[in-house]
Amino acid sequence: MRTFNTNEMTQQFDNLFMAPARAYMNLSIDYSEKLLNAQMDANKAYFDTGIAQMRQLMSVKDTDGLRSYMEGQQKVAKELVERVKGDADKVVSLQQDFLQKSQKLTEENVKQAQAAASKMSKTA
């Protein structure tokens, strides 16, 4: 009659299921934090630009001031387009990094599971 070693079973369960789940959750949390920080930075920049534009508009007192404000709008629009492009590139980069790291983690976990299955079949 064979006795079961519960410590070994617990360790195998942790190695095969819980450790990979923890690693993936850590990766997901890191990605979420980076994405949220990028979104907050972008929102602050857009908000600051909007407030600055409202302050400039409120300081317009004559036609020359209005003309100067309107001419400045082209520059602001160009800067905003560049900012949006940069923010989109940053998000794409974060997504690609997350995808690559999660694929690597999955490959490592599959190899580990195959090695454990091979070990178990040899002992059975």
Side-chain angles (χ1 to χ4, degrees), residues 27-47:
L27 183 63
S28 296
I29 289 169
D30 288 345
Y31 168 72
S32 297
E33 181 182 22
K34 290 175 185 176
L35 185 60
L36 183 61
N37 285 333
Q39 290 173 338
M40 289 185 345
D41 290 346
N43 285 338
K44 179 162 178 21
Y46 301 143
F47 178 79

Side-chain angles (χ1 to χ4, degrees), residues 34-109:
K34 290 175 185 176
L35 185 60
L36 183 61
N37 285 333
Q39 290 173 338
M40 289 185 345
D41 290 346
N43 285 338
K44 179 162 178 21
Y46 301 143
F47 178 79
D48 290 346
T49 299
I51 293 294
Q53 290 304 297
M54 287 189 276
R55 290 190 191 281
Q56 280 185 336
L57 183 59
M58 295 302 296
S59 69
V60 170
K61 299 196 184 336
D62 56 16
T63 56
D64 289 335
L66 181 61
R67 185 177 338 107
S68 175
Y69 173 79
M70 295 304 287
E71 288 170 356
Q73 291 304 296
Q74 292 176 349
K75 179 182 175 192
V76 170
K78 182 179 178 183
E79 289 171 357
L80 280 175
V81 166
E82 291 298 317
R83 174 70 196 219
V84 169
K85 183 183 179 301
D87 291 338
D89 290 344
K90 188 174 187 178
V91 169
V92 168
S93 175
L94 286 171
Q95 290 173 337
Q96 288 174 341
D97 184 52
F98 176 75
L99 180 62
Q100 289 170 353
K101 287 179 179 177
S102 63
Q103 284 176 338
K104 182 179 177 186
L105 187 62
T106 301
E107 289 170 3
E108 290 171 358
N109 291 332

Side-chain angles (χ1 to χ4, degrees), residues 12-35:
Q12 287 177 349
F13 179 79
D14 186 68
N15 289 343
L16 288 174
F17 299 106
M18 298 308 294
R22 281 191 299 271
Y24 184 76
M25 285 304 299
N26 281 331
L27 183 63
S28 296
I29 289 169
D30 288 345
Y31 168 72
S32 297
E33 181 182 22
K34 290 175 185 176
L35 185 60

